[in-house]
Amino acid sequence: MSGNDTNAWFTAAMESGDPEQVADGLTRLRDLLSPLQPVAAPGPEVLDAFRDGAPADVVMDYVWVLGNYRPLAPPLSPPEVVRRWTEAVLRHPDGAAALQVVLHLRHDGRPAGADVGDVISYIAGRGVRPGAAEQGAEYLARYLLDHSQTYARAVAALPSWIGEPVLGGVLRRLEAYVRPEDRAGLGFQGSARGVSAPAVADET
């Protein structure tokens, strides 16, 4: 299969608006063997073909393609990759897909220039409404706080959510994940009530 053929069928699938074609296109691209040919990077809106929400495996395939398939033409900057990952989870919230994004960001092999703070700041700038996007934001922030390699950078960025109508509520629900020494900086008073802060996971 030529490079032009690969890009042609993949682009056609992504632009089809048909859920089955979108899912099949992402899966086929994930399973291609080397040598890989250049394709245009899909935007997260391709997942909106699933009007009732994209299935978890499709969202995870989307995250995988942006994180692992090369070459993309034109290439995406690492912050743009993070923004597209984040937008995908906000539009189609799923805990497993959110965790996959965090795993990409926590490893030493993450794209150079990709940062945890980009997730938090993108959500703050975009804003979220109650519902799906709210749940997606909570998934992402919770997993970022729950791992030792991403915790500090997440906490440093989360003050941007203070005072936001919806994100402020998300932040309050994450209180148990915040270490005592960081509570004041996020507007929490005293110790977390009724819950015990979970141990922050180490690299396994």
Side-chain angles (χ1 to χ4, degrees), residues 142 145-146 151 174-179 195-201:
R142 174 158 55 88
L145 290 171
D146 201 30
Y151 176 88
L174 296 170
E175 183 176 358
Y177 293 84
V178 178
R179 299 173 187 172
V195 289
S196 297
V200 178

Side-chain angles (χ1 to χ4, degrees), residues 33 38 48 63 65-66 103 131 137 139 151:
L33 300 177
D48 296 345
V63 171
V65 165
L66 292 192
L103 292 176
Y139 280 142
Y151 176 88

Side-chain angles (χ1 to χ4, degrees), residues 4-5 11 14 18 20 24 30 61 64 70 73 75 84-86 100 128 136 150 164 170 177 179 181 192 197:
N4 286 340
D5 287 342
T11 299
M14 295 302 99
D18 178 81
E20 291 186 5
D24 181 65
R30 183 198 65 198
D61 280 348
W64 187 95
R70 297 294 182 272
R84 293 191 186 201
W85 281 339
T86 304
Q100 187 179 21
V128 300
T150 55
E164 294 295 323
V170 173
Y177 293 84
R179 299 173 187 172
E181 63 270 24

